[in-house]
Amino acid sequence: MKINSFSIGSAPINEDFFVYRNMGINGYVIVLADGMGGLPHGDVAARIACKAAVEYIINNYKEFHSEKRILKEALKVADNAIATQGLAKYKCRMGTTIAIAIVSDYQIFYTWQGNVRIYLKKHNTLSVLTEDHILNINYDQKRVTRSIKGTGLREDIPVKKESLSRNDTIFFCTDGLYNIAALMLSDNNISEIKEIIINPEDDASLIQIDI
């Protein structure tokens, strides 16, 4: 398994944040978060959520024996971390969208809140594994319907599983990336995609996992 990544900010403060860690025989844990625009300290929320989720999964993976359970708990831990570390310190609302996955033994287990996307390229066919938690208000406005804000999560947290094969590719993307380069994921590698991301209107982040 090989992982490459980049994140290009659209402003002095990049509100995207990601972490991926090798868990040895247990595979990799990958997390990408996109701090919510319209709320202050999106970068703080994204960083807190990513680090809390990864740390929780690494420290508790062997005890759960269930990827689905630990992914749900990781989201709750991330939400609580924003409440205790973010809201308590900065005294204001903050939030982030997020996607988390465990890739192990030719399988991906994943969950998400919001519109960070996970794509899978299998046999040269690209598909989106996640569904955006977005409400179209009108032609010009959209609202995120699920996120991590330190206020608790809905019980119906989506957790899914997909089988993988050798030569499959997984992509984690924030909307600043896929809104301008989604079509490139089918035929271009991460270096080629990075070259076209110049002065993006929104923070653009991509993680590419080659199986």
Side-chain angles (χ1 to χ4, degrees):
M1 189 183 305
K2 181 180 179 182
I3 302 181
N4 289 293
S5 60
F6 70 78
S7 184
I8 299 175
S10 60
I13 297 178
N14 186 342
E15 296 189 334
D16 288 354
F17 193 86
F18 59 75
V19 179
Y20 46 85
R21 295 273 298 276
N22 187 338
M23 299 191 293
I25 61 173
N26 297 316
Y28 278 82
V29 56
I30 302 107
V31 186
L32 173 59
D34 181 355
M36 294 181 67
L39 294 179
H41 303 298
D43 59 318
V44 174
R47 182 176 68 251
I48 288 174
C50 283
K51 290 184 174 181
V54 168
E55 181 179 354
Y56 181 79
I57 290 172
I58 289 175
N59 291 338
N60 295 277
Y61 187 84
K62 293 181 179 179
E63 298 178 10
F64 270 79
H65 304 292
S66 169
E67 287 83 0
K68 292 186 176 181
R69 282 182 56 206
I70 199 170
L71 286 171
K72 286 186 177 183
E73 291 301 315
L75 280 179
K76 294 176 182 178
V77 167
D79 185 76
N80 185 62
I82 287 180
T84 57
Q85 300 175 36
L87 304 185
K89 178 179 180 179
Y90 292 90
K91 308 298 182 183
C92 63
R93 296 175 62 204
M94 63 176 65
T96 186
T97 58
I98 193 168
I100 309 174
I102 296 171
V103 180
S104 178
D105 294 329
Y106 288 103
Q107 297 180 100
I108 178 172
F109 299 84
Y110 59 97
T111 186
W112 72 100
Q113 297 285 286
N115 61 336
V116 176
R117 289 183 183 175
I118 303 175
Y119 291 80
L120 173 62
K121 186 171 74 171
K122 182 183 286 287
H123 306 305
N124 294 318
T125 299
L126 187 70
S127 58
V128 186
L129 299 184
T130 53
E131 299 174 5
D132 294 345
H133 296 139
I134 293 289
L135 177 65
N136 291 314
I137 301 174
N138 55 44
Y139 290 108
D140 299 318
Q141 291 185 317
K142 296 180 179 180
R143 186 177 71 187
V144 175
T145 58
R146 294 197 189 198
S147 61
I148 294 183
K149 294 182 179 179
T151 55
L153 303 176
R154 288 169 45 174
E155 288 300 318
D156 57 333
I157 295 172
V159 181
K160 296 188 177 182
K161 168 187 170 183
E162 191 79 25
S163 296
L164 303 172
S165 304
R166 188 176 297 276
N167 298 321
D168 286 353
T169 303
I170 301 162
F171 300 98
F172 279 63
C173 313
T174 56
D175 57 347
L177 186 290
Y178 62 72
N179 283 342
I180 60 176
L183 295 178
M184 294 188 68
L185 297 176
S186 295
D187 302 310
N188 301 83
N189 62 42
I190 192 168
S191 298
E192 293 168 332
I193 295 172
K194 185 178 181 180
E195 288 181 359
I196 74 158
I197 310 297
I198 301 173
N199 299 321
E201 294 183 2
D202 193 3
D203 302 329
S205 299
L206 175 63
I207 305 172
Q208 177 178 312
I209 304 106
D210 296 308
I211 306 301

